[in-house]
Amino acid sequence: MTAYIVAGYRTAVGKAPRGGFRFTRTDDLAAEVIKHLMASVPALDPTRVDDVIVGNAVPEAEQGLQIGRMISLLALPINVPGLVVNRYCGSGIETIAMAASKITAGMADCIVAGGAENMSQVPTVGWKTVPNYNLVKNHPDYYLGMGLTAEAVAKDYNISREDQDRFAYNSHQKAIKAIQGANSKSKSCLSQLRKLTSIKRRERKKPVPTWLIPTKVRVPIHLLKLWPVCALCLRRTGA
């Protein structure tokens, strides 16, 4: 059996910890997107969804208690199960790979998959971080964050600062073009989310940003003026 991506939506990207969605739970955000997703495919009976697979890097607090199942209960009929997957930053893409594999293997016909995270409500490493003593003693680099890992990878594979800046610049330009050319369906999804977030923030009466606009740099050379934060951190710590 061949797996196909039929439709896909996402929320806007906000800032942490003071972004527009900081008062909105992760499961509420994900549920609204799934509802919009299902509405975009009216021919699909929601009861035919075999599973909801949710990627989440820190499944605790507001994102705990098996958030995958909570999201399926909020967005779909009670007979649709849900599960959560943690591969840190690769969690969301991993759920799509798992969904495609299950469909290809004949274990399912229809799966909703993707990542959900609100870093304004749950710290990057969780509320209680307790590293394994033996790993810290013998392999402290196992606990490196993404920034320091990126610096190490750049060094090992000889990826220059110029190459990274060029990639970042092109990525931002694509994001700006996509945001400016968002179709009506995408805007409709964002409108629903703005209403949801406005309810959460009604006492503060502050506007909810539609998108965290990418940096509108004119040329890649402007990026060279920015400090490489993680490389600076490496120098300061003597790592």
Side-chain angles (χ1 to χ4, degrees):
M1 187 181 298
T2 302
Y4 298 92
I5 296 177
V6 177
Y9 290 95
R10 62 161 300 149
T11 69
V13 177
K15 293 181 178 180
R18 298 181 296 277
F21 293 133
R22 65 184 182 276
F23 301 117
T24 308
R25 291 175 59 99
T26 307
D27 44 13
D28 286 333
L29 281 172
E32 288 301 315
V33 174
I34 292 176
K35 289 177 183 177
H36 188 82
L37 175 71
M38 298 303 296
S40 72
V41 191
L44 175 63
D45 180 356
T47 61
R48 293 188 59 189
V49 176
D50 295 307
D51 209 350
V52 174
I53 308 178
V54 178
N56 185 274
V58 191
E60 62 175 81
E62 289 89 346
Q63 300 178 162
L65 300 175
Q66 223 287 53
I67 190 174
R69 179 54 175 154
M70 298 302 107
I71 291 171
S72 70
L73 289 170
L74 287 168
L76 296 165
I78 194 171
N79 66 291
V80 180
L83 64 95
V84 63
V85 173
N86 184 356
R87 198 185 282 276
Y88 270 159
C89 295
S91 299
I93 194 68
E94 180 66 21
T95 67
I96 297 173
M98 291 173 62
S101 297
K102 292 186 72 171
I103 291 173
T104 302
M107 299 173 64
D109 293 319
C110 178
I111 296 177
V112 175
E117 199 92 34
N118 188 332
M119 297 181 70
S120 293
Q121 296 186 349
V122 182
T124 303
V125 292
W127 290 106
K128 183 182 179 182
T129 305
V130 187
N132 181 282
Y133 174 79
N134 289 325
L135 287 181
V136 172
K137 179 181 179 181
N138 301 310
H139 302 283
D141 55 308
Y142 285 6
Y143 288 104
L144 283 180
M146 288 296 292
L148 297 180
T149 299
E151 292 293 343
V153 170
K155 181 179 179 180
D156 289 346
Y157 290 90
N158 297 315
I159 303 173
S160 69
R161 169 69 188 269
E162 290 73 19
D163 288 340
Q164 296 176 63
D165 285 347
R166 187 177 299 107
F167 184 93
Y169 172 79
N170 291 333
S171 178
H172 279 235
Q173 297 310 303
K174 292 176 183 177
I176 292 170
K177 182 178 179 181
I179 292 169
Q180 293 175 342
N183 58 40
S184 58
K185 290 184 178 180
S186 297
K187 291 178 181 177
S188 175
C189 183
L190 291 174
S191 177
Q192 292 181 26
L193 289 166
R194 283 167 65 87
K195 290 178 181 178
L196 170 69
T197 310
S198 295
I199 293 174
K200 301 291 184 181
R201 303 179 61 182
R202 60 182 179 273
E203 295 180 359
R204 293 167 175 79
K205 298 181 180 179
K206 294 181 179 179
V208 181
T210 300
W211 283 95
L212 171 60
I213 302 299
T215 304
K216 295 183 178 180
V217 292
R218 294 183 179 180
V219 290
I221 195 171
H222 289 177
L223 296 175
L224 290 173
K225 298 178 182 179
L226 302 177
W227 281 95
V229 179
C230 291
L232 183 64
C233 179
L234 278 171
R235 290 197 295 269
R236 285 181 175 174
T237 58

